[in-house]
Structures are given as C-alpha cells and as structure tokens.
Amino acid sequence: MRYTGLLPAALALLLVLPALFPLAAWAAGDRERQVVYNGEIFDGQGYGGQFYPANEPAIYVLADVQNVLIPRITQVYWWPITQEYKADWDSLNQPLTGTLEIGTRSFPLTTYSLRHDNGFSNAQTELIVDDAAAPAYAAYQKALSDYQAAAGAYNEQWQVFQQQLAEWGQKADELRAAGKSTADLPVPKQPVQPIQPTVSVTAPAAGIAFTLPAGEYQMVLRGTDGNIVPGSERRIVAFGPRRSGVAYKVIAESKYTLPDASTNPQDTIFVSGEKALYVQPAAQREYDNFYAAKLLNPQQRAAQDRRGVWTWLPAGEFPATTLALNVSGATENITKVKYYAKQRPGAALGYDILPYDASAGEGVATFDAFKIVPQRGAMTISAPGVADSSRDIRVVQTGAGNVLIGLAFLPLAGGLCGLAYRRWRTR
C-alpha cells in the first residue's frame, strides 16, 4: 500500500515516453554524410551566415556583390522541430580545398574576415578578403590590446584620483575650519576613461569568394587533384533588383518605442493627435519574393507560395540630408537633426524627444531624423530627385468617433425598446 502513490506518475511517464523516444531516435540516427556549403552571404545590408545542405540544390545570391562559400563534409540530419536540415559538426567537420567552378568562371580558395561595426548586426558587416584580411585582423587585435592596456592604466589612475580626492576634501575642511579660503587649493584632475573599440574583425578563415552577374549557373568544386568532388554540384542563382526606392521609419512623439515603417511607395501614413513625427529614410530595393525568401533563409519551406510577387528588402542607409515636405501645394525643405529621447521622471510614463546637445551627457542614445509637424490638408514627403520616395501623410480626425459608435448602437437600442413595448402590451 505504500507504493500506490507512484502509480499515477508511472502512468504519466508511459504516456510521455512514446512522444519523446521517436524524436531522440531521429536525433541520434538517420544521418547522411554530405558535401555542404557554409556561406557568408550579402543580404542587401551586410553579411549573414547561411547553411546549404545537399538537400537544397540551389543557392540564391544577389548579383554583382561579393559572397563567400566554405565547402565542408559533415553529417546532415533532418530536425522536425524547425523543419530544417542540420549539420552535426561535432561528429564530422572536414574542410575541403579546391576551386569553385561556376559556369565558365573559376574562383580559388582564399582567406576572408568579417568586420563588424558597432556590434554584430548583419546590417553593419563588411567582408574583407585575400591579402587585406590578415592586416585588418592584426589592426583590430592591436586596437583591442591598446584599449585593455589603457583600461588597466585608467583603473589605477582612478584609484589614485579617489585617494587624492579624499585628501583634497580633508584639506578643504581644515582650511574652512580655520576660516581660510580654498580657492588656491588645487583640485585633483579626474582621469579620462579610454574609448572602447567599436569595430571588431574576425580571425582570417579559409573560404572561396566570388562575384556573379545576374543569371543561373551550374557550380562544382574541383579538388586539388583536378577531379570534381562528388556531391559538390549545385545550381546557383544570382539575381538583381527590379527597382530601388526609399523606406521610412516613422517615430511618433507619443509612441517613441513603437515606431512604424513604410516600405511600399503606395503607402499612406495616417496620424491622429500627434504633435510631431520623426522620420528616418533608408534605402531599399525590390526583388522577386521567392528569390528574396531563399536568400534570407535557404531552407524556407513557404517560399514556394511567394512566386510571381515582389518584395522590398533594406539596402542600407540613405544619405539624404534634406527631405522635401509639400503641404497643400507649398513645398519646403527640412533638414536632418540629431535628437535624443529623455524618459520622463517619476510615475509619468513616456519620453520627451529633444534636440541633442552636449548637456545631455555622453552615452545618451541618440538618433538622426527629420521632424514633421502634422497639419491638416494634403501632406507629402519625398527625397528630391529619387524615384519611389514619396509618401502621403494624412491627419485623421477622430473627434466624431464616439458619435459614430453611438449611431452603430441605435438599431440595437431600437430593437430592445420594441421588445420591451411588446412585452408591456401582452401583459
């Protein structure tokens, strides 16, 4: 009788095990030795890592930009949770050497590094290849070493400064107690904190860099022995944009943390009750939606549903310093200004967006934007001379909203009154 309490737990375990074991069995077995490619692929803004198993026979890249493929041999398995093929690098990770033959072009093995500016976002990544990779990495290592040495010296100077500050305070108290002035007492000088490097460069690695004009090609890897590596065959599709345009990030003053975005040139930006909008333009290009989906995720399963349509992809910063604002036929140029968002103190929620100046202090998060004050009438913003950069802005008046809601309830109120009247008559 003492063990009867274990029966419910045992039954629950028996119900769970059949669901767990198939997944574990799949993860442990059903692996296939394949020639695969890792890639550092340009996505319109920067470089991101991609994985191309043999189960994906086509590789999609942007035309006329440099990319890198890294051929390897590994064990590949299907992972049902994410519906993707995965590589078991721990069990097998064999590099391959040779030359990529893409159509009639040949691309040899070389070295490459990735330069990251202000973090590790793809949008701020630059590819460095061939003989430039090693010096760039060495310069980064030196900058990092210099910063660490400067940081160590700064910590020591800070300790000395704290001691000097304490001694200065004691002497100042003694002078004040004696009724003497502290004007001639030298104030300890605070040490300057070193600036941490904002650029990082990865160690040079082996890869095959290539650039292709738009088109479809057959690709193979030819080994150092002159023979084609079995399983290295792929089809590679290089594609370009249909057109270029401008996207807008729109920050409403009352919703600083919830910005909106406009990517379609036919978009209309609707605003209501906003005192100011802060607009940030960015370059964009329009691509075939299927190609774009396979570029961003080679194993995208829903990409088949995207054939025959187009999509806009970010293409980096837009170097505009002025925008044209047309209000009811009158045009004026607005300039880009640096702002910062200051959180309101106390229990009040929200931010105040203010022009940036040195009094805001170092380390304050800032952003560059064009300020627009919504007005009644037809408003349009555009980048002068740039196609597909215009957006209409419309101020929506919501004052009659309550009246419309009340009108919507009139039929219901009428029905209830009629029902009450009928019940009263039938008493």
Side-chain angles (χ1 to χ4, degrees):
M1 297 296 293
R2 287 179 297 175
Y3 300 101
T4 55
L6 298 176
L7 183 59
L11 291 174
L13 183 61
L14 289 174
L15 290 173
V16 172
L17 286 178
L20 294 179
F21 278 138
L23 185 61
W26 190 283
D30 295 325
R31 281 161 166 72
E32 180 183 2
R33 180 186 173 99
Q34 290 185 4
V35 174
V36 302
Y37 293 92
N38 284 334
E40 293 296 343
I41 306 299
F42 187 74
D43 62 7
Q45 299 186 96
Y47 288 84
Q50 300 290 0
F51 172 61
Y52 302 98
N55 311 82
E56 295 293 335
I59 297 174
Y60 295 83
V61 297
L62 294 180
D64 302 319
V65 296
Q66 198 166 42
N67 296 280
V68 170
L69 288 177
I70 306 101
R72 295 186 177 276
I73 296 178
T74 189
Q75 298 286 347
V76 176
Y77 62 94
W78 172 254
W79 187 240
I81 294 178
T82 58
Q83 298 289 295
E84 290 180 325
Y85 290 97
K86 299 286 189 180
D88 186 1
W89 301 112
D90 292 334
S91 65
L92 180 61
N93 187 2
Q94 178 183 335
L96 292 172
T97 58
T99 301
L100 268 188
E101 295 182 356
I102 306 177
T104 59
R105 298 172 175 82
S106 296
F107 301 94
L109 190 70
T110 184
T111 57
Y112 75 94
S113 293
L114 292 174
R115 171 192 168 103
H116 299 276
D117 292 335
N118 299 313
F120 293 93
S121 169
N122 289 2
Q124 298 173 323
T125 307
E126 177 187 349
L127 181 66
I128 307 173
V129 299
D130 298 330
D131 295 337
Y137 179 68
Y140 161 66
Q141 290 293 307
K142 183 179 185 305
L144 190 62
S145 177
D146 291 346
Y147 168 73
Q148 291 171 345
Y154 169 77
N155 290 333
E156 294 178 358
Q157 294 168 6
W158 180 259
Q159 297 298 327
V160 173
F161 169 71
Q162 293 294 321
Q163 180 63 33
Q164 292 174 345
L165 197 63
E167 294 174 356
W168 176 87
Q170 184 177 358
K171 292 178 180 178
D173 290 341
E174 292 174 355
L175 290 173
R176 293 190 188 98
K180 298 180 180 180
S181 173
T182 61
D184 296 331
L185 184 64
V187 180
K189 186 176 180 180
Q190 182 175 338
V192 178
Q193 186 173 1
I195 300 175
Q196 186 173 359
T198 59
V199 174
S200 63
V201 179
T202 61
I208 301 175
F210 66 97
T211 304
L212 295 172
E216 295 191 16
Y217 309 86
Q218 296 299 319
M219 181 183 78
V220 296
L221 177 67
R222 190 173 295 277
T224 53
D225 58 1
N227 297 321
I228 294 176
V229 177
S232 66
E233 301 85 358
R234 298 289 192 280
R235 183 170 61 94
I236 188 164
V237 179
F239 63 96
R242 180 171 71 162
R243 55 177 174 164
S244 299
V246 177
Y248 293 97
K249 180 180 178 181
V250 182
I251 304 172
E253 188 172 44
S254 66
K255 296 182 292 185
Y256 166 71
T257 58
L258 297 172
D260 293 321
S262 171
T263 59
N264 194 319
Q266 282 70 50
D267 284 347
T268 298
I269 300 171
F270 293 98
V271 296
S272 174
E274 295 295 341
K275 294 181 179 179
L277 301 177
Y278 298 87
V279 177
Q280 296 175 309
Q284 63 176 3
R285 295 186 179 93
E286 190 179 37
Y287 297 96
D288 179 280
N289 204 339
F290 173 79
Y291 290 170
K294 300 296 279 187
L295 168 74
L296 300 177
N297 182 1
Q299 300 189 62
Q300 169 64 259
R301 301 297 157 192
Q304 299 295 335
D305 301 329
R306 303 184 183 183
R307 292 188 180 273
V309 295
W310 299 85
T311 189
W312 291 93
L313 290 184
E317 296 182 359
F318 185 74
T321 57
T322 61
L323 287 181
L325 174 64
N326 185 290
V327 182
S328 300
T331 301
E332 64 173 310
N333 290 329
I334 54 177
T335 58
K336 184 187 293 184
V337 177
K338 185 181 291 294
Y339 296 93
Y340 76 100
K342 181 179 181 181
Q343 191 167 14
R344 293 170 186 162
L349 299 178
Y351 294 84
D352 293 319
I353 299 179
L354 306 172
Y356 177 77
D357 58 44
S359 63
E362 297 182 359
V364 175
T366 62
F367 64 95
D368 296 329
F370 298 88
K371 182 178 179 179
I372 297 175
V373 178
Q375 303 175 42
R376 292 188 180 183
M379 298 180 63
T380 303
I381 57 170
S382 62
V386 180
D388 295 318
S389 66
S390 297
R391 296 295 190 279
D392 291 334
I393 301 175
R394 295 291 181 267
V395 177
V396 179
Q397 301 298 326
T398 59
N402 294 332
V403 176
L404 294 175
I405 293 174
L407 292 175
F409 280 97
L410 281 180
L412 177 60
L416 292 175
C417 290
L419 180 61
Y421 178 74
R422 290 181 60 185
R423 288 187 174 181
W424 177 76
R425 290 291 302 271
T426 55
R427 287 182 180 179

